[in-house]
Amino acid sequence: MSIEIKAPTFPESVADGTVATWYKQPGEACARDEHIVDIETDKVVLEVVAPADGVLKEVLKAEGDVVLSDEVLAVFESGAAASAAPAEKAAAPAAAAPAAAQESVQIKAPTFPESVAEGSVAAWHKQPGEACTRDEHIVDIETDKVVLEVVAPADGVIGDILKAEGDTVLSDEVLANFLVGASGATAAPEAAAPASAAEEGDEDGVADPAARKALAEAGLTAAQVKGTGKGGRITKEDVDTAVKAKPAAAPAAKAAAPAAMPALGADGRVEKRVPMTRLRATIAKRLVEAQQTAAMLTTYNEVNMGSIMEIRKKYKDQFMKTHNGTKLGFMSFFVKAATEALKRFPAVNASIDGNDMVYHGYQDIGVAVSTDRGLMVPVLRNTEAMGLADIESTIMDFALRGRDGKLGMDDMQGGTFTITNGGTFGSLMSTPIINPPQTAILGMHKIQERPMAVNGQVVIQPMMYLALSYDHRMIDGKEAVQFLVTIKDLLEDPARLLLEI
């Protein structure tokens, strides 16, 4: 029975998509719900699966073709695989099941955007021989911006891992082999078979001809080399790797005895040496570049937070009830005040591109979020059109996803201005560093009660220091000071935010 395989129904905001990758070719058998093609839109990549057990008969849309919502992609013949070879199944039913279980697919790194050159394997959550369910999280790929999750393509077992933790990987590079339909129990004997052959000295069974020659030249046995080929077979590259590692084995063995002892520095005191993560290394590089390339200057002011605190105290319960549990914080007021100030001082909302100054007709404000992996700056888009509740709920979503490592590339890219809140951690004053290619960043700090002179009297007021770091190549001192004073005035008299005065 022929079935038409169609593109997904796109939402109204998506006009069309592109056929990204076919995972099956005409004539290949497919299992029900098996992933067969990816459709890429301007927002997400959508998976299309097989509607039943059968065979992909004809592909009507090739990779790279533009497709519309519900457009026919291919013709599928359901049940074709079952009727294609009844004699074979009758003759060898026992052999047929393992064959199906041995269908191997490649697990690849995600497709990185143009701004990301490469990534690193951060952590494998499954090991060779372990069973996985479809869409189960199996490995993390860390880029210089975010950590990307790679999931299992189907129910099955992890085969060979080709990229170990710490290895650098490129976009779409193969990370591991995956046995579709296999289980942990059936995979274990298969993995053990090459090892037992090696122990018996049968190198012909576990090494290809080039590898056997390399083993002989290196004076190694198959048991001393870990095979990464199909089914655990040893390749020449595996032998070369083992030979390179051989000289380092002796010092490692010597160091094995005191392994339980803590690492000691040159002066005999305890030290711990940990490689810098790719994300932290990139943050460090960008911060240093910003200080070396920008004519960075910081201006300071202080704001009386009394009015904002009074509004928050008076309306926080009603705000939460009205906006489905969203809490009213201070950050939304700062975002709205910064948005209004950016409209009045376009140079602060601009960026530098080579010798060009780019003035943005919109306000996209990045909000610095501290995570276990380092500082991330997700971006609030078009803040001029956002209300306080929208800002607060979006920032909370950023914080939760940042904590769980779920922030995506799209969340981090762009931004015309940045706000960072060191006051969360108790900072009284600091000098924030610009986030290139932006030209300015606002630093919030701790709210602290201080004696202030008000109408000739000393009054205790809740005060916060503000810091604006800016690129003097783009922004004059007068503009920077006036920008910060505008934010101060808007926060001390919040009615101005509503009246836009």
Side-chain angles (χ1 to χ4, degrees):
M1 176 182 174
S2 293
I3 304 174
E4 292 181 338
I5 296 178
K6 297 182 178 181
T9 302
F10 303 147
E12 293 182 4
S13 59
V14 177
D16 53 36
T18 304
V19 179
T21 307
W22 279 101
Y23 297 102
K24 292 290 183 178
Q25 298 303 318
E28 288 192 44
C30 309
R32 180 183 177 88
D33 294 330
E34 184 175 357
H35 182 191
I36 55 176
V37 61
D38 284 336
I39 305 298
E40 184 176 8
T41 72
D42 57 357
K43 295 184 177 180
V44 293
V45 176
L46 303 171
E47 295 182 358
V48 179
V49 300
D53 293 339
V55 168
L56 187 63
K57 188 176 180 180
E58 182 182 3
V59 172
L60 304 179
K61 292 291 183 178
E63 293 181 2
D65 286 357
V66 175
V67 295
L68 303 178
S69 184
D70 296 316
E71 189 171 3
V72 179
L73 305 175
V75 178
F76 186 85
E77 192 73 23
S78 66
S83 60
E88 293 176 11
K89 289 190 175 182
Q102 291 306 307
E103 181 187 357
S104 180
V105 298
Q106 294 177 330
I107 296 174
K108 296 183 178 181
T111 301
F112 302 148
E114 293 181 5
S115 59
V116 177
E118 60 188 18
S120 297
V121 178
W124 279 99
H125 301 290
K126 292 287 184 177
Q127 297 302 318
E130 286 193 50
C132 310
T133 58
R134 181 185 177 88
D135 295 330
E136 185 176 0
H137 181 193
I138 55 177
V139 61
D140 287 332
I141 304 298
E142 183 180 26
T143 72
D144 56 3
K145 294 185 177 180
V146 293
V147 175
L148 303 171
E149 295 182 357
V150 179
V151 300
D155 294 342
V157 167
I158 295 288
D160 305 319
I161 289 180
L162 307 180
K163 292 292 184 178
E165 293 182 4
D167 286 357
T168 298
V169 295
L170 303 177
S171 185
D172 295 316
E173 190 170 4
V174 178
L175 306 174
N177 292 320
F178 187 85
L179 302 178
V180 177
S183 64
T186 58
E190 293 166 9
S196 60
E199 290 168 5
E200 294 167 6
D202 183 11
E203 294 177 0
D204 291 348
V206 294
D208 57 38
R212 290 199 296 273
K213 181 179 178 182
L215 284 169
E217 293 174 352
L220 298 172
T221 65
Q224 295 174 290
V225 180
K226 181 181 179 181
T228 60
K230 187 174 182 180
R233 288 180 65 83
I234 298 171
T235 65
K236 186 175 182 299
E237 288 74 17
D238 297 331
V239 180
D240 293 340
T241 301
V243 170
K244 291 177 182 177
K246 194 175 180 182
K254 292 179 183 177
M261 298 292 291
L264 301 179
D267 58 358
R269 290 182 291 181
V270 176
E271 291 181 347
K272 181 180 179 181
R273 187 177 295 268
V274 179
M276 187 178 290
T277 64
R278 179 178 293 273
L279 178 61
R280 186 159 294 282
T282 301
I283 292 171
K285 180 181 177 182
R286 286 174 60 84
L287 293 178
V288 171
E289 285 178 353
Q291 290 182 307
Q292 291 177 340
T293 59
M296 197 169 73
L297 190 64
T298 304
T299 183
Y300 300 93
N301 213 314
E302 59 183 354
V303 57
N304 186 336
M305 294 294 292
S307 296
I308 298 293
M309 293 175 73
E310 185 178 345
I311 290 175
R312 184 170 179 266
K313 181 180 179 180
K314 183 176 181 180
Y315 294 108
K316 65 177 181 179
D317 293 336
Q318 187 176 346
F319 185 90
M320 185 183 298
K321 183 178 179 180
T322 304
H323 297 290
N324 300 318
T326 300
K327 295 181 179 179
L328 179 60
F330 295 120
M331 182 60 80
S332 55
F333 288 98
F334 277 86
V335 171
K336 291 302 291 183
T339 301
E340 183 60 32
L342 290 171
K343 293 178 184 178
R344 303 180 190 184
F345 299 93
V348 186
N349 194 48
S351 59
I352 294 179
D353 184 11
N355 291 324
D356 295 332
M357 297 185 295
V358 183
Y359 292 88
H360 306 290
Y362 51 88
Q363 288 77 42
D364 286 355
I365 297 181
V367 179
V369 175
S370 179
T371 71
D372 293 338
R373 293 186 174 98
L375 186 69
M376 296 184 178
V377 188
V379 179
L380 296 163
R381 311 286 178 186
N382 298 312
T383 56
E384 69 277 6
M386 298 179 75
L388 297 180
D390 297 327
I391 294 170
E392 291 291 354
S393 61
T394 305
I395 291 174
M396 178 55 66
D397 178 60
F398 284 155
L400 293 175
R401 288 195 288 141
R403 180 195 65 189
D404 298 335
K406 304 289 186 182
L407 285 173
M409 295 287 185
D410 293 340
D411 298 321
M412 315 285 286
Q413 292 178 330
T416 60
F417 185 74
T418 297
I419 300 176
T420 179
N421 185 6
T424 302
F425 309 104
S427 172
L428 187 61
M429 183 176 286
S430 66
T431 303
I433 300 176
I434 298 169
N435 183 20
Q438 297 172 20
T439 54
I441 180 173
L442 176 68
M444 298 167 55
H445 298 93
K446 177 182 177 182
I447 299 174
Q448 184 163 315
E449 291 188 342
R450 297 201 303 273
M452 303 295 294
V454 179
N455 296 325
Q457 295 183 338
V458 176
V459 181
I460 303 299
Q461 299 283 3
M463 304 299 295
M464 176 192 287
Y465 287 119
L466 299 180
L468 180 75
S469 291
Y470 60 98
D471 192 338
H472 216 331
R473 296 176 299 170
M474 183 78 182
I475 304 170
D476 292 333
K478 176 184 175 182
E479 288 179 299
V481 172
Q482 289 178 333
F483 175 86
L484 197 55
V485 169
T486 299
I487 290 180
K488 169 186 169 68
D489 291 342
L490 291 170
L491 292 171
E492 290 186 340
D493 187 2
R496 290 174 175 243
L497 286 173
L498 297 175
L499 300 174
E500 298 182 353
I501 58 175

